[in-house]
């Protein structure tokens, strides 16, 4: 009876829901799991089976499902103000959130512009950069630079600065070409090279491009420290320092996409703090609402804001989304920031990270594994000689072991919520090893 219930949900979903980032035919063999409820790090299906959400439901969940503190804040907000438009009106949650985020940047990025999803934040940063230069009379600055393997979202503008062939190639004719520069991915170190050497080499590529045509470039967009969607490619923070200096020297904006790496994921609240630099624009989304509600924003400097401040309406930034600054989403974000402060989350995560890294040593040493790497609350390794369907088979094997994990190609990664206890950490490491061995054995 229960089981029929579960398969009925699967059938109905496959008939009516077009699932994201999915070749729907694969669901003839890959399981689709109807989630009935979530609690802490676990998702439960209709048969009561549970799955440890080891990838934070696509990197958004920070403090677990059904978090009591975030739930309480949202229930209160629901009875106060669910939504109001943000043009001509403002409200307490959006003001408090903007002030708190500004403070986290030492008020360097003191102006926050809101949207709902990550791709929209990227669109906003690109448009703002171009428009800021235009308002300064630099109308030739129309091009954008991105990194090899970059991922900044799926809308037409964001896809143009994305370099993942699988997502981009079909839409090539629709996209405005961007300049692509070398990735500082530390795995590209040649014999005797350090990660810092790779960073210097990649920064030199940026300088070559800026020397040629900085007068036509508005901005370079970078996902700092970890290029997540391309397979958790990690780089030395030196790269960000070098590019920041080049952007200053050649008058190019630096956009940092911290949609995945922000909110403590790499060990500091903003990834760029580890390089000791601030960009001209930072994009946040995913974890900022604790994984509860769609919310994204772009934070920028006062000089950029001032470039739009005028009696002329057309010099203003006339961009909007219907749900811009939604009070419920902002309130979830405020509750999330409160947990960071109350629980000293960044310090607690350092201990959790060390424990999980130690527990994953059998995989780090595994003869079928290379490039085991870790940054903050992100772990990744590459399977040697993985078959083309490795990722799908790993996912299917993982669900049999109470795990939600989706490798990227042959890269297995963990991006768990920040609330795992010692038993969950030990279980996660042990199950990942079992699932890896079973998947590799075919
Ligand atoms: C997920 C992601 C995006 C896009 O965010 P959406 O909310 O999926 O549109 C952009 N950049 C990075 C680095 C991401 O990880």
């Amino acid at each position: 009876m229960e089981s029929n219930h579960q398969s009925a949900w699967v059938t109905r979903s496959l008939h009516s829901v077009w699932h994201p980032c999915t070749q729907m035919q694969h669901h003839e063999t890959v399981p689709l799991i109807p989630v009935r409820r979530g609690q802490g790090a676990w998702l439960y299906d209709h048969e009561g089976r549970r799955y440890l959400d080891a990838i934070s439901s696509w990197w958004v969940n920070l403090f677990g499902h059904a978090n009591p503190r975030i739930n309480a804040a949202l229930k209160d907000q629901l009875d106060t103000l669910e939504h109001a438009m943000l043009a001509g009106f403002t409200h307490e949650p959006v003001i408090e959130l903007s002030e708190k985020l500004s403070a986290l940047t030492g008020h360097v990025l003191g102006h926050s512009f809101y949207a709902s999803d990550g791709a929209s934040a990227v669109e906003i940063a690109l448009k703002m950069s171009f428009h800021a230069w235009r308002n300064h009379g630099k109308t030739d600055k129309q091009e954008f630079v991105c990194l090899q393997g970059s991922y900044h979202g799926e809308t037409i503008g964001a896809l143009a600065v994305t370099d993942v062939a699988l997502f981009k190639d079909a839409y090539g004719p629709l996209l405005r070409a961007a300049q692509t520069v070398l990735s500082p991915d530390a795995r590209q170190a040649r014999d005797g090279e350090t990660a810092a050497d790779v960073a210097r080499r990649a920064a030199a590529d940026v300088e070559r491009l800026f020397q040629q045509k900085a007068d036509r470039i508005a901005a370079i967009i970078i996902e700092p420290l970890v290029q997540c969607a391309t397979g958790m490619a990690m780089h030395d923070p030196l790269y960000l320092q070098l590019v920041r200096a080049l952007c200053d020297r050649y008058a190019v904006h630096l956009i940092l996409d911290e949609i995945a790496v922000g909110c403590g994921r790499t060990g500091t609240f903003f990834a760029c703090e580890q390089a000791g630099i601030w960009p001209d624009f930072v994009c946040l989304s995913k974890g900022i609402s604790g994984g509860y509600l769609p919310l994204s924003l772009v934070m920028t400097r006062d000089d950029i804001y001032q470039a739009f401040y005028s009696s002329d309406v057309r010099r203003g930034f006339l961009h909007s989304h219907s749900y811009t600054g939604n009070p419920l989403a902002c309130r979830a974000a405020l509750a999330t920031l409160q947990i960071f402060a109350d629980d000293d989350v960044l310090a607690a995560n350092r201990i959790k990270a060390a424990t999980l890294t130690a527990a994953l040593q059998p995989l780090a040493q595994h003869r079928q594994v290379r490039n085991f790497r870790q940054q903050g609350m992100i772990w990744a390794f590459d399977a040697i000689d993985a078959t083309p369907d490795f990722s799908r088979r790993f996912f299917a094997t993982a669900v049999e072991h109470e795990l939600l994990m989706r490798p990227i190609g042959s890269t297995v990664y963990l991006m768990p919520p920040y609330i795992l206890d010692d038993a969950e950490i030990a279980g996660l490491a042990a199950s990942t090893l079992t699932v890896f061995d079973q998947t590799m054995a075919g």
Side-chain angles (χ1 to χ4, degrees), residues 58-59 116-122 151-155 158 223 226 228-229 257-261 285-286 295-296:
W58 258 349
W59 321 346
S116 315
D117 55 71
S120 301
V122 169
Y151 177 90
H152 299 292
E154 314 272 354
T155 54
E223 190 178 13
V226 188
C228 296
D257 177 348
E258 297 226 5
I259 290 166
V261 296
S285 188
K286 292 207 161 95
L295 180 70
S296 67

Side-chain angles (χ1 to χ4, degrees), residues 254-397:
L254 176 60
I255 302 171
L256 291 185
D257 177 348
E258 297 226 5
I259 290 166
V261 296
C263 302
R265 186 51 76 177
T266 66
T268 42
F269 189 83
F270 294 99
C272 63
E273 292 173 64
Q274 295 182 48
I277 59 127
W278 292 110
D280 303 288
F281 304 91
V282 70
C283 304
L284 282 184
S285 188
K286 292 207 161 95
I288 188 62
S289 72
Y292 267 68
L293 286 158
L295 180 70
S296 67
L297 62 136
V298 176
M299 300 171 70
T300 192
R301 296 173 180 273
D302 194 53
D303 56 317
I304 306 260
Y305 175 78
Q306 293 303 336
F308 292 82
Y309 200 84
S310 157
S311 57
D312 181 353
V313 67
R314 288 160 309 167
R315 287 177 68 94
F317 191 61
L318 306 183
H319 182 106
S320 66
H321 297 282
S322 308
Y323 284 97
T324 291
N326 174 259
L328 283 165
C330 289
R331 191 68 189 277
L334 283 168
T336 299
L337 293 184
Q338 195 63 47
I339 294 174
F340 271 99
D342 289 348
D343 296 1
D344 199 355
V345 167
L346 297 176
N349 277 358
R350 282 195 283 277
I351 296 165
K352 288 187 200 299
T355 310
L356 183 50
T357 299
L360 287 170
Q361 282 314 298
L363 276 160
Q365 318 290 337
H366 200 289
R367 64 185 171 79
Q368 289 168 296
V369 163
R370 72 178 142 223
N371 301 319
F372 181 88
R373 52 201 183 274
Q374 178 251 337
Q375 175 71 56
M377 293 296 277
I378 305 174
W379 292 259
F381 57 87
D382 305 328
I384 295 173
D385 294 332
T387 58
D389 61 351
F390 171 81
S391 172
R392 270 180 278 144
R393 288 192 299 111
F394 190 104
F395 171 81
T397 311

